[in-house]
Amino acid sequence: MTLVAITGANKGIGLEMTKQFLERGDDVIAMCRTTSDALQQTNAQIIEGIDVGAESCVDILKDKCAGQNIDYLINNAGIFTNESLEDMDFDRIRMQFEVNTLGPLRVSLALLPNLNTGSKVFIVSSRVGSLADNSSGGNYGYRISKTAVNMAGVNLAHDLKSKEIGVFLLHPGFVRTNMTSGNGNVEPSQSATNLIDRMDALTLEQTGTFWHAEEYELPW
C-alpha cells in the first residue's frame, strides 16, 4: 500500500488525485489551508492550516506527519494571477513566488525525514515555465514562479539521488479548474488520471526531468 501526501488537496486536481489514489487502495494525507465538503467525504487523513506560502506550515507538517513513511509527495498547491506590461503588480508576483516556487521546496524539506529509499517527490509545475516553449509572453508572475520551481526541482533531484529519492516536474495540462476560470481542454479527473499514470511510471533514472501528464517530456 502506498502512502501519498498531496498539497492543495481540497479542490481541483488535488482533490481528484486524492479520490483516485484512495479508490485504488492507497492511503492519502490531504494537506490544505481549509478543507472542503468534498474532501471531508473521503477517507483521507486531512491536515488543515497548510499554507505552503508561509513558514508556519513547516512545524504543522513535521508534527502531524511524524513517523509516517511517505511514498509519493505531491506538491500540487499553487496560485495564478495575470500580470502584463500594462498591469504589473510586484506584490502579486512575490506571492506567486512564495507559493509556487518556495512552497514545494518548503514542504519537501519539512517532510524530508518522512521520505525513504524509493520515495518520489513530484512538483506540479507548468509548461508556461518553459523558456523554450514561451511563444506568447504575459503571465509574468506565474511564468517566473514556475520556471524557478523547475530549477528547485532539478536541484532537489541532484541532492536526493544518493538517497534513491526521485524528483520529477509535471505539467497537468490546461485543466478546467477555478484557477483557469473554468477554461481548459481537460477535466480535473482526467488530468489526475494522467498525472498518476506518469507518477507510477517514472523511475529514479529519470529524476530531475520535466513531463507533460500526457506522456511526453517537455523542454526547459
Side-chain angles (χ1 to χ4, degrees), residues 106-173:
R106 188 175 282 125
V107 170
S108 297
L109 293 180
L111 296 178
L112 189 56
N114 301 86
L115 305 179
N116 301 285
T117 297
S119 293
K120 299 179 183 181
V121 177
F122 302 99
I123 298 173
V124 179
S125 182
S126 173
R127 71 184 306 163
V128 303
S130 167
L131 300 179
D133 196 53
N134 185 351
S135 60
S136 64
N139 298 331
Y140 276 77
Y142 195 67
R143 284 188 185 278
I144 292 167
S145 67
K146 291 300 187 178
T147 302
V149 81
N150 287 350
M151 178 61 80
V154 172
N155 261 20
L156 281 174
H158 286 301
D159 289 337
L160 297 180
K161 189 171 184 180
S162 63
K163 301 178 184 294
E164 298 186 39
I165 297 170
V167 182
F168 311 93
L169 292 307
L170 300 175
H171 170 62

Side-chain angles (χ1 to χ4, degrees), residues 129-219:
S130 167
L131 300 179
D133 196 53
N134 185 351
S135 60
S136 64
N139 298 331
Y140 276 77
Y142 195 67
R143 284 188 185 278
I144 292 167
S145 67
K146 291 300 187 178
T147 302
V149 81
N150 287 350
M151 178 61 80
V154 172
N155 261 20
L156 281 174
H158 286 301
D159 289 337
L160 297 180
K161 189 171 184 180
S162 63
K163 301 178 184 294
E164 298 186 39
I165 297 170
V167 182
F168 311 93
L169 292 307
L170 300 175
H171 170 62
F174 187 22
V175 187
R176 298 185 187 100
T177 63
N178 290 339
M179 181 182 286
T180 62
S181 300
N183 298 309
N185 51 29
V186 62
E187 294 295 334
S189 58
Q190 185 59 56
S191 176
T193 297
N194 294 343
L195 286 168
I196 292 170
D197 286 345
R198 285 296 85 226
M199 292 173 187
D200 290 339
L202 289 165
T203 66
L204 186 62
E205 287 68 32
Q206 296 161 300
T207 191
T209 51
F210 185 20
W211 290 85
H212 195 297
E214 294 176 356
E215 301 184 33
Y216 58 90
E217 200 165 354
L218 290 166

